[in-house]
Amino acid sequence: MSGMTSRRSLLSAAAAASLAAPARAAQAAGPRRRPPDPTLKAILREIDPHRIEAVVRRLAAFGTRHTLSSQTDPVRGIGAARDWIHQQLTAYAATSGGRMTVELQSFTQPVSPRVPTPTVITNVIAALRGSVTPEQIYVVTGHYDSRATDVLDFTSDAPGADDDASGVAVVLELARVLAGREPEATLVFAAVAGEEQGLYGSDHMAQVYKDAGADIQAMFSNDIVGTGDAHDGSRPDHRTVRLFVEGVPTAETAAEATTRRSIGGENDGPSRQLGRFVKEVEPAGTDVRVVWRRDRYLRGSDHVSFLLRGYPAARFTEPRENFAHEHQDVRVVDGVQYGDLVEFCDFDYIARVAKVNAATLWSLATAPGTPKGVVVDTTQLTNQTTLRWTVGTEPDLAGYEVVWRETTAPDWTDVLPVGKVGAVTVDVSKDNVQFGVRAVDTGGHRSPAAAPRPAA
């Protein structure tokens, strides 16, 4: 964590505020872990590696879950896996007092390079409605389809234990543990299909949300989260999970790109702010390694479907992959075992990944939403900085904090509480630092920060 700066920050309320904010000193605001509240502590204790193991083994036992495999065979293929996942989520929903609903979201994917005939693809989605701000939505996914070496081979065994029964197991365990809770915002737990054929399930899901004008405040894909041991002779790393977060938004327009080039902000997109938030709330015993890329080199996962629609999104994945265990026919060659088998999964590790997800989702869903409409005034040249934003409507909203850091620093270094106002002037030059604004509720829960855009 960077040290506190020595500068004093003088404030004056702008026209939107009724009272002048008092002068005060900025305080250190680096990426310190935020201690979990009592409910979150209970949630983390309930995550069960044995239940996670049972899910991974059951999904692998379907033989193949290839998107083109049988949808009617009750024992083998993606249809059997779909129905089993639906049964599990429905059982969890029964414990929610009516707050959780489950749906099969189906559509027909037309012919494409990896789909030779029109194919029905189905996402299994459980939504736990928020008790205070249900319009604010946080999504977590894993993909339940699998593949062999040939992406069009839908008959060979493709157990897909790590890729991605592990991610689905995280999603199901989160749904089980959280079903009986009452988050303030809505949580969505989804097992999507068609990922290996081209992200088709998540693409459809994201577009449905976009068409409905949904306020997706964050989305996380769990894809290949099965082990901290690559089984390749490298040193195991049982506590680290990588989190890929883009900087420049995938959906950035040409006009937005022009503005960004003139003011900076390559490291301050909404997804990058999620990465900072996750580091602050990661539970003890885990280490989130934030990687400043959209995904692994020249690769992608289901979060990209949401990024394409302008939603903040990120991807969790294990620290080091073994490519002999991904997208491979099950076989032994020269004494080397190929194939995505259950024996290479570490269920305690998957449980740690589930805890990182739980801490993130619960912390997001109990905090105010990320501030909207955050702008920096550019009507006059000045060494001060005036920030404005839209005041939220959450009933427990206590106020806002302005955060900033040097342009070369990865995380926020200074924080200034400014009260429940919609504008403030800070005696720090916008030329020298990167600013953000985050909301705080009466319980001390903080939202991710939002970086300002220039506005007259």
Side-chain angles (χ1 to χ4, degrees):
M1 181 179 69
S2 302
M4 186 191 310
T5 61
S6 60
R7 66 174 68 91
R8 301 280 295 186
S9 297
L10 302 177
L11 306 182
S12 63
S18 59
L19 297 174
R24 67 200 80 177
Q27 303 171 6
R32 296 173 296 179
R33 282 196 176 107
R34 302 181 191 176
D37 62 30
T39 301
L40 178 53
K41 288 181 180 179
I43 289 168
L44 298 177
R45 286 194 300 268
E46 291 176 25
I47 291 174
D48 186 350
H50 298 294
R51 289 181 177 271
I52 287 172
E53 177 179 1
V55 172
V56 173
R57 291 188 180 279
R58 184 67 191 93
L59 289 173
F62 288 112
T64 179
R65 304 187 306 277
H66 195 285
T67 297
L68 305 177
S69 63
S70 174
Q71 300 200 26
T72 57
D73 189 320
V75 176
R76 181 182 177 87
I78 195 166
R82 171 202 64 212
D83 294 344
W84 184 82
I85 293 169
H86 184 258
Q87 291 168 2
Q88 302 309 301
L89 289 175
T90 300
Y92 303 153
T95 70
S96 71
R99 292 183 300 276
M100 179 181 282
T101 57
V102 183
E103 68 168 311
L104 293 171
Q105 184 186 71
S106 298
F107 65 99
T108 299
Q109 174 60 39
V111 172
S112 67
R114 293 186 174 187
V115 180
T117 60
T119 301
V120 174
I121 294 177
T122 301
N123 301 320
V124 191
I125 302 174
L128 180 62
R129 182 175 174 81
S131 60
V132 179
T133 52
E135 69 280 0
Q136 296 175 3
I137 303 171
Y138 300 94
V139 178
V140 61
T141 71
H143 71 86
Y144 72 98
D145 59 308
S146 64
R147 60 164 287 186
T149 302
D150 181 353
V151 73
L152 294 178
D153 178 2
F154 60 87
T155 59
S156 297
D157 283 348
D162 193 358
D163 186 14
D164 185 34
S166 64
V168 175
V170 167
V171 170
L172 291 186
E173 185 66 356
L174 292 172
R176 182 188 72 83
V177 172
L178 295 174
R181 264 80 184 196
E182 295 187 34
E184 295 179 17
T186 295
L187 297 176
V188 174
F189 313 91
V192 298
E195 193 271 351
E196 302 290 7
Q197 308 310 110
L199 311 183
Y200 290 126
S202 60
D203 188 77
H204 178 81
M205 180 182 179
Q207 189 60 48
V208 169
Y209 278 128
K210 188 68 174 179
D211 292 343
D215 184 13
I216 306 294
Q217 299 237 333
M219 180 273 181
F220 298 93
S221 166
N222 286 267
D223 193 353
I224 311 178
V225 293
T227 180
D229 185 350
H231 301 279
D232 61 358
S234 61
R235 184 177 180 179
D237 187 354
H238 297 301
R239 299 188 182 279
T240 298
V241 56
R242 289 181 292 174
L243 177 65
F244 284 87
V245 289
E246 70 175 14
V248 176
T250 292
E252 182 181 71
T253 66
E256 289 168 341
T258 298
T259 299
R260 175 180 50 77
R261 285 191 291 268
S262 70
I263 65 171
E266 295 82 0
N267 297 319
D268 285 87
S271 297
R272 191 76 29 104
Q273 308 297 1
L274 288 183
R276 295 184 175 106
F277 183 91
V278 173
K279 282 298 294 181
E280 292 175 2
V281 302
E282 65 180 357
T286 64
D287 182 15
V288 177
R289 180 180 182 179
V290 180
V291 183
W292 284 5
R293 280 197 174 106
R294 186 171 75 172
D295 206 321
R296 302 144 304 156
Y297 212 79
L298 296 178
R299 301 170 72 191
S301 184
D302 290 306
H303 65 301
V304 175
S305 298
F306 284 76
L307 292 172
L308 286 166
R309 274 81 181 176
Y311 293 127
R315 182 245 175 93
F316 287 112
T317 197
E318 62 196 28
R320 181 180 173 93
E321 296 172 79
N322 185 324
F323 302 106
H325 301 160
E326 296 176 20
H327 301 181
Q328 294 285 343
D329 293 336
V330 178
R331 67 196 190 281
V332 177
V333 178
D334 297 330
V336 177
Q337 177 68 65
Y338 289 81
D340 192 354
L341 302 172
V342 172
E343 64 196 71
F344 297 117
C345 287
D346 177 346
F347 307 109
D348 288 327
Y349 175 83
I350 302 173
R352 291 189 192 99
V353 176
K355 289 180 180 181
V356 171
N357 278 261
T360 299
L361 291 170
W362 187 256
S363 298
L364 286 168
T366 54
T370 302
K372 295 181 181 295
V374 182
V375 298
V376 58
D377 188 284
T378 58
T379 58
Q380 56 186 331
L381 294 176
T382 173
N383 287 314
Q384 293 183 325
T385 301
T386 296
L387 299 166
R388 300 194 301 269
W389 58 90
T390 301
V391 177
T393 59
E394 295 91 345
D396 60 347
L397 178 65
Y400 293 89
E401 294 175 340
V402 173
V403 293
W404 67 88
R405 67 182 197 281
E406 293 295 318
T407 60
T408 54
D411 297 301
W412 306 117
T413 55
D414 294 87
V415 58
L416 194 63
V418 298
K420 194 174 180 180
V421 298
V424 70
T425 297
V426 185
D427 192 18
V428 178
S429 174
K430 56 186 168 293
D431 295 331
N432 298 335
V433 301
Q434 293 295 115
F435 279 104
V437 177
R438 65 189 182 195
V440 187
D441 69 14
T442 54
H445 303 107
R446 289 166 170 79
S447 73
R453 296 181 179 183

